[in-house]
Structure formats: C-alpha cells, structure tokens
Amino acid sequence: MSSVNPGLDPQDRKAASEDRVEVPYRFERSHTTAAVHRDFPDLPKGTSTGVTVSVAGRLVLSRPQGKLAFATLRDSTGTIQLFALAGETADFRGFCDLSLGEWIGARGEVVTTKRGELSVKVSDWVLLAHSSLGFGDKWRGVTDLETRYRQREMDLWANPASRDPFLLRSHMISLIRRWLEDRGFLEVETPMLHGVPSGGNAHPFVTHHRALDLDLYLRIAPELYLKRLVVGGFEKVFEIGRSFRNEGLSPRHNPEFTMLELYDAYGDYTDVMVLVEDLVSYLAIELVGTTEIVYQGRPVDLTPPWRRAGLIELVGERLGEDLGLETPLGRLAEVANEHGVSFEDSWGPGKLLLEIYEKLVEPELWDPVFVCDYPVEVSPLARDHRDRAGLVERFEVIVVGRELANAFSELVDPIEQRKRFEHQMEQRARGDEEAMTVDEAYLRALERGL
C-alpha cells in the first residue's frame, strides 16, 4: 500500500495559507527536460558547458547533503537532475526545504556531475505552485487501485507509465483523422442534445432545457444526424465525439464514451468491412509497429483479411445445434434457460438469438471476426439482407471478446423505416426501455433520398 498524504486539516490549512509565498503568474522556460538531454548528449563526467538554461516542472525527489543538494525535476517530457550549492544557489536553504510535488522553475548552467549525471547547476529558482498533498511513496508511486482511478491526476504524476495510454490515444485519434481525410472524408460535429432518443437501442440520459421548457436526451449515437448530412450532399462524413448511454458500469460499458462514426455513400457493409480492417491494421503498425500484438498475455493477430462469419452460424457452432429464426420460440427459450441466459417473454426469435450469442459466443471470440447478418428485430436502422429473409446486412467486429465496431448497409426506404420505428415503439410499450422511438425529422430527410 502506498503512503498517501490525506491533506491538511482546516486549522493547518489556514496556517499554511498565511505562510505561503506569492507565486509568479508566468515563467519563461527555455528548455524542456527532454530538450536538455537532446541538446547535450554524451557529455564526459565533470563537464561544464557554459550554457545556461531554464527548466520548469514538479519536484519529485530531493536529497540535501549539507552544503550540497540534488533534486529531480519532472515535466511532461521526462526528468532532469538539479544540482545546487550553498555558495552559488540563491536561497539555498529554501531550495533544500522544498516539499516533494511542488512546481518550481530553475535557471542554471548545464553540467555533468563527477558521476556523469547530466544536470542543471541551479543559480536561481522560483516556486511556481504549492503542493500540500503528497504523491505517494517516492520509490513505488501510488499502488492502491482505488486511489489511482479516483484521483487520476495523482496517478499520472506518481506513476509516469500511466501517461502512456493517454499519449498513445492522442496519437491514435490524430492518425484516424488524417487517414480518413486522405480518403476524402469530411469531419463534422452534430448535436449532442436530441429531441427524441435515437441512433441505437439503449436507455438515454434525460435533461431539461429551461428556456424551452423541454426534455432533451443526451445522444445515444450521432447516427441519424450524420445520415441527414449525407442526404444534404456530403458523400463521406465522420465524427469523433462523445455518446451517452444510461446503462450499467463494467470494463465493457461506460455511461459516456468516445465513438468514431462515419458514412460513405454508394457503398455497402462489405465496403465498410474492408475500411475497418485496413484502418485498424494501419493504426497497429503506426502505433506499436506490428499487427501481431499481445493482450492480457495472449497473442492477437490484426493482420487483414479478418474472418467473416454469420451470427446464427456461430451460435450453431457453439451449441452444436442448428438454430435460426424459424426455430420455435419454446425451443429457443429452453436453450436460453439451459445456459443461464435471461430473457423477456415479449422477445421474438431474433432478440432471443442475439441474447444467446452475446452471452455464449461473443466473449469467446479472440482474433478479429466480422460477425455478420443480424436479425431484423434487433437492427431497426439496417437494410434487409439481399438473400436471407428476416436478417439484415449488419456486422459487428469482435476482438478479444469485445465489440470494436458495428456497421450495416443503410436502410434508405422511408416507408420501411417508419414500420421499423413503429415496431420499436410497440416493444417500448411492452416494457423495453431501450427500444427506439419514431424520429419524424429523420423520416422526412429519408423521403428526400438517402
């Protein structure tokens, strides 16, 4: 367990505030710590460069030794050693008394110590920000998971490796944008407040607009607004933004999450399959150098092409029994009961098959697979399958047992779309709170041609 300072009590906090030194509004920094290492590589031991730099960051280690003091300064790019001398460093005693975690700016000559450690020999320094809360054990950082996740800013400073996913994600988003733009896609932003819950089967968050005295819904997905842009003449659009679903919490579900959604006129779901596997494999190579990665100790091969398999066929493989939309509801219910899959009496065969698949098959799919051709009952926005009655042309990509993407050939018939919405409303009336409602604005757009 790490050592964590819980903070000052009110009386100590008042006393501390009275003793505080006024900090400056800004500090002119000439180098990051990484730039110092880059500009002064491989210096011999005991070197004085004659070059003065100014650096700034958080103090993460301090070792006063009489008239000599060493400290480690960390900024967002790395660390550098600070080297202070009683006869040469302004307010040497104050430097030695600095608390770990405080932000300082330091100016001085770039040198190497007798042991060869690249350092800034501090001539003067300034306190830039106080820190009255600690950052955990100086050697082990913060090890308590509860603290790490609930006080993320503490984790990021105490455990530098925890920053890596943030940096990787930022780079990934940048690469996605460039990759799509190079293929003619236009990035757009669509509303997050919707008049009706739409874009997917999920329970929405509800809020109230005071000026209009109107209930609005945080978007489940940007889908219908993006398709309206395609109706308006933008043939390739994408959006990277937050979506919200008022559902349970787990490692697989979060109430708010970032989604990439895109639309490409003139193509179908087979075109999007190629797009997805090309994009993901490109990102893997750019970010980690290979499409053959390891996740939780198991290898995962992201090299295209990925397997394509029907949802119903995968259920049959798992259970050793041919099941389908024509299977009597009673038999599907028996299978669900036999395997501990809960269900509602109002569900049809398509919904039951999907639930069986999600509970028994999906968690076992490891390498990437396009799970194709879903029941129309659970896919109100997807187009009927051109060859298989009762199914739609939809896929989900499953990797390491998790959904990575969901896509389909778009339903473009406004009459059929209205029927689907009305069926969803019937399901909602029977108690399915995740069922969609009728979106008249979207239907009107469809009537103009998608």
Side-chain angles (χ1 to χ4, degrees), residues 207-369:
T207 188
H208 189 76
H209 194 297
R210 294 174 62 187
L212 297 176
D213 191 23
L214 178 70
D215 281 345
L216 294 172
Y217 304 89
L218 292 180
R219 72 179 180 194
I220 294 169
E223 179 165 343
L224 301 192
Y225 281 92
L226 287 170
K227 288 196 277 195
R228 288 163 71 177
L229 288 173
V230 179
V231 171
F234 293 100
E235 296 178 353
K236 292 186 172 187
V237 295
F238 76 96
E239 181 171 7
I240 300 173
R242 306 295 273 180
S243 292
F244 307 85
R245 301 185 180 183
N246 198 353
E247 300 172 341
L249 287 166
S250 78
R252 298 167 184 257
H253 298 89
N254 207 45
E256 58 173 309
F257 59 96
T258 301
M259 177 190 296
L260 161 66
E261 187 142 346
L262 62 85
Y263 290 88
D264 184 2
Y266 315 122
D268 64 9
Y269 76 148
T270 63
D271 297 291
V272 185
M273 290 183 199
V274 175
L275 183 150
V276 169
E277 62 188 3
D278 285 351
L279 173 58
V280 171
S281 59
Y282 161 77
L283 293 172
I285 291 171
E286 289 294 316
L287 294 169
V288 297
T290 179
T291 54
E292 297 180 4
I293 64 175
V294 175
Y295 180 72
Q296 294 186 347
R298 290 182 60 182
V300 184
D301 189 353
L302 302 174
T303 308
W306 299 345
R307 181 189 178 194
R308 276 81 164 152
L311 181 147
I312 290 177
E313 286 70 30
L314 287 170
V315 171
E317 287 179 13
R318 169 66 173 80
L319 297 177
E321 176 183 357
D322 289 335
L323 300 174
L325 298 175
E326 70 287 346
T327 303
L329 270 174
R331 177 55 193 151
L332 292 175
E334 288 176 2
V335 171
N337 284 324
E338 289 168 6
H339 293 87
V341 178
S342 58
F343 60 91
E344 302 290 337
D345 292 337
S346 61
W347 290 0
K351 178 73 169 172
L352 262 171
L353 281 167
L354 177 67
E355 199 71 12
I356 292 169
Y357 156 78
E358 288 185 343
K359 292 299 189 296
L360 303 181
V361 180
E362 184 175 288
E364 298 180 359
L365 301 175
W366 191 257
D367 282 326
V369 56

Side-chain angles (χ1 to χ4, degrees), residues 57-129:
R58 196 185 285 278
L59 201 69
V60 294
L61 194 63
S62 180
R63 304 190 308 278
Q65 299 174 12
K67 295 184 179 182
L68 176 68
F70 294 97
T72 300
L73 184 81
R74 179 185 295 159
D75 64 12
S76 63
T77 67
T79 62
I80 191 74
Q81 179 170 272
L82 302 182
F83 172 44
L85 293 168
E88 300 183 33
T89 301
D91 190 12
F92 175 77
R93 181 47 49 198
F95 183 87
C96 294
D97 291 340
L98 285 168
S99 299
L100 297 186
E102 292 189 311
W103 296 80
I104 67 169
R107 296 181 183 89
E109 182 185 2
V110 177
V111 301
T112 53
T113 63
K114 293 179 181 179
R115 294 186 177 184
E117 180 76 19
L118 186 66
S119 307
V120 174
K121 185 179 178 182
V122 180
S123 58
D124 59 279
W125 62 276
V126 60
L127 180 67
L128 300 177

Side-chain angles (χ1 to χ4, degrees), residues 364-405:
E364 298 180 359
L365 301 175
W366 191 257
D367 282 326
V369 56
F370 290 103
V371 180
C372 304
D373 306 335
Y374 281 62
V376 65
E377 181 183 346
V378 294
S379 310
L381 298 168
R383 192 166 184 174
D384 287 337
H385 197 286
R386 65 196 77 184
D387 299 318
R388 304 181 66 181
L391 300 180
V392 295
E393 294 191 347
R394 170 187 171 189
F395 72 78
E396 287 188 1
V397 180
I398 307 301
V399 187
V400 299
R402 299 178 183 226
E403 176 193 339
L404 183 67

